[in-house]
Amino acid sequence: MHIAATAQRWSHAYAFFLAATASAVGLGNVWKFPYILGQNGGGAFLAVYLSCIALIGIPIMMAEVMIGRHGRRSPGYAARAVARESGAHDLWQLVGWLGLLAAFLILGFYVVITGWAFAYVQKAASGAFAGAGGDTVAALFAGLTGSPGEMLAWSTLVVVLAFAIVALGLRRGLERWLHLLMPLLLVLLLLAVVSGLWIGDAARAVDFMFRPDFSALTAQGVLIAVGHAFFTMTLAAGVLMMFGAYLPQETSIARTAIGVALADTAVALIAGLAIFPVVFGFDMDPAEGPGLMFQTLPLALAAAPAGVMLTTLFFATLSLAAFSSVMTSVQAFVHLFHERLHTSRMLAALVCGGAIWLLSLATVFSFSGAAWTRLDITLAGRELPTLYHAFEHTAINLLLPVGGLLIATFVGWVVPARISREELALAPAGFRLWRFLLRYAAPGALGLLLLQLVGVF
């Protein structure tokens, strides 16, 4: 028995697949995955990461979507409805509310970094990187991050576009645009791979990515793989729970979750195949870190034949991947505001967009060095010099793992097995495996991650 029903539904299962994949495929795949792969030994890290996706990511994704579909409401209210049917305390609604809080904080800096990618498309197309040396490229990045006005203009464009699309409604807005943008993203990614293989060292890149060297993998690297699986798949951020509320009852949650995980992983690997040939072909350090994307790669791409075109293509791909995640994440907030206050979608989009835009100011001015963004505090063993660092650390390193642990505990131990069986419709052996992973493997891995993050070991 379902407690409540939201009127909105995906037009078909493929629309849910596109939305969940768009939410997962973002900066985590095209920007973060390549550099953490480079920092943690290449193929060995990849093997652990894939294991995390299979043993932790997919079971929790299934649980999160299940809560949304059974509750048929916004995340917090869906979790409360499922808790009440399960005879559990209303406090379990925190499973949904913590996810939305994490998503809100993430959007506060994600729209700014997406704005960087937009800005780099314009810079690349105008030939700003053509013939540029290392000092010039570094100065361009420093000029962008040191200019509140420029960053604010680009991040405002990201917010306006995303909320304007979502304001059109689920099918006329988000779903219609996903049908256009996701195939385009795939085409751009494949073109980026061809370009990277053309100008770079494909043999060294493939060897680095797919030959495991476990001597280069540390215990911290294993926990980084667990954390990145959460970030890249948008787990415990409320988005998948919201999308589950739109999911038709006849759609298989298990098949869809596996499909999204495979698509997300494939995009991460494709991004690696686009980036690492360039890294090795131009003798760059694959463990360089975040600067690899916005400072080192533009220098290499611009020096290649057809450099202006290649650099523009690369940052257009990054922009589209990042924007797809922003667009899908804001859906949950607009729906919540529209559902609870019975306002028009346009008003809901304006209010929610304004709130996220205001939050993004903290990130904009953190990078430009404004005094009011300075914190200089330590939280859970990590130094946080600015508000931006506090948002990022709190959302990604604390709220997402805690939310995942709560989801696994709630669905694995509190929600009756009959509800899970009804929603998942798995074969008995598959259901037992899923429940075992949700009850033991996921909480164990997330518990270790949280202990490491707070400095216990």
Side-chain angles (χ1 to χ4, degrees), residues 3 80-89 410 414-416 418-419:
I3 311 221
R80 185 182 68 180
V82 174
R84 287 178 176 177
E85 186 178 352
S86 304
H89 198 282
F410 179 53
V414 177
V415 176
R418 63 173 178 80
I419 293 178

Side-chain angles (χ1 to χ4, degrees), residues 94-429:
L94 285 173
V95 166
W97 295 120
L98 280 180
L100 287 178
L101 175 59
F104 185 67
L105 292 177
I106 289 170
L107 280 171
F109 60 84
Y110 206 97
V111 296
V112 177
I113 300 175
T114 302
W116 294 357
F118 276 34
Y120 265 54
V121 174
Q122 183 271 325
K123 292 178 188 298
S126 66
F129 300 112
D135 291 342
T136 302
V137 174
L140 283 170
F141 184 67
L144 173 63
T145 56
S147 170
E150 188 175 2
M151 279 196 290
L152 189 57
W154 287 109
S155 59
T156 300
L157 176 62
V158 172
V159 170
V160 169
L161 288 176
F163 280 92
I165 289 171
V166 171
L168 296 174
L170 182 65
R171 293 190 180 183
R172 291 196 307 118
L174 183 62
E175 189 174 317
R176 179 178 294 176
W177 278 90
L178 287 173
H179 277 84
L180 171 66
L181 296 181
M182 292 308 290
L184 178 59
L185 174 59
L186 179 60
V187 171
L188 290 178
L189 275 170
L190 293 176
L191 287 173
V193 170
V194 172
S195 302
L197 296 175
W198 170 44
I199 66 172
D201 190 333
R204 286 182 65 192
V206 170
D207 181 71
F208 175 76
M209 289 181 62
F210 297 107
R211 181 178 60 83
D213 177 12
F214 288 98
S215 65
L217 184 67
T218 63
Q220 184 179 8
V222 173
L223 294 175
I224 289 172
V226 175
H228 186 66
F230 258 71
F231 176 63
T232 188
M233 292 180 71
T234 328
L235 299 175
V239 177
L240 294 172
M241 210 175 289
M242 186 71 261
F243 290 169
Y246 306 141
L247 192 64
Q249 193 62 35
E250 64 274 11
T251 300
S252 169
I253 291 176
R255 282 198 298 270
T256 306
I258 291 171
V260 170
L262 289 174
D264 176 67
T265 304
V267 169
L269 294 178
I270 291 170
L273 288 172
I275 291 169
F276 285 117
V278 180
V279 168
F280 290 112
F282 288 82
D283 294 320
M284 293 184 284
D285 181 6
E288 181 178 341
L292 179 69
M293 185 66 64
F294 287 102
Q295 297 184 63
T296 309
L297 276 172
L299 187 63
L301 291 168
V308 172
M309 182 188 70
L310 291 178
T311 311
T312 305
L313 167 65
F314 181 81
F315 284 105
T317 306
L318 179 65
S319 298
L320 193 54
F323 182 72
S324 68
S325 288
V326 172
M327 187 172 60
T328 52
S329 294
V330 301
Q331 174 69 29
F333 296 100
V334 173
H335 181 98
L336 173 63
F337 196 92
H338 173 67
E339 175 189 63
R340 301 310 301 174
L341 299 182
H342 306 291
T343 63
S344 67
R345 288 190 183 88
M346 183 60 69
L347 178 59
L350 285 171
V351 172
C352 296
I356 288 169
W357 182 83
L358 287 172
L359 185 66
S360 74
L361 296 180
T363 298
V364 167
F365 287 98
S366 290
F367 279 103
S368 64
W372 65 270
T373 66
R374 301 295 302 178
L375 289 179
D376 294 319
I377 62 173
T378 300
L379 177 64
R382 178 171 164 180
E383 294 182 1
L384 306 174
T386 68
L387 286 172
Y388 156 70
H389 294 92
F391 292 163
E392 181 193 35
H393 181 59
T394 301
I396 295 175
N397 295 331
L398 297 177
L399 291 179
L400 292 187
V402 168
L405 187 60
L406 288 176
I407 290 171
T409 304
F410 179 53
V411 178
W413 294 96
V414 177
V415 176
R418 63 173 178 80
I419 293 178
S420 301
R421 286 196 185 94
E422 173 190 332
E423 289 292 344
L424 299 179
L426 293 170

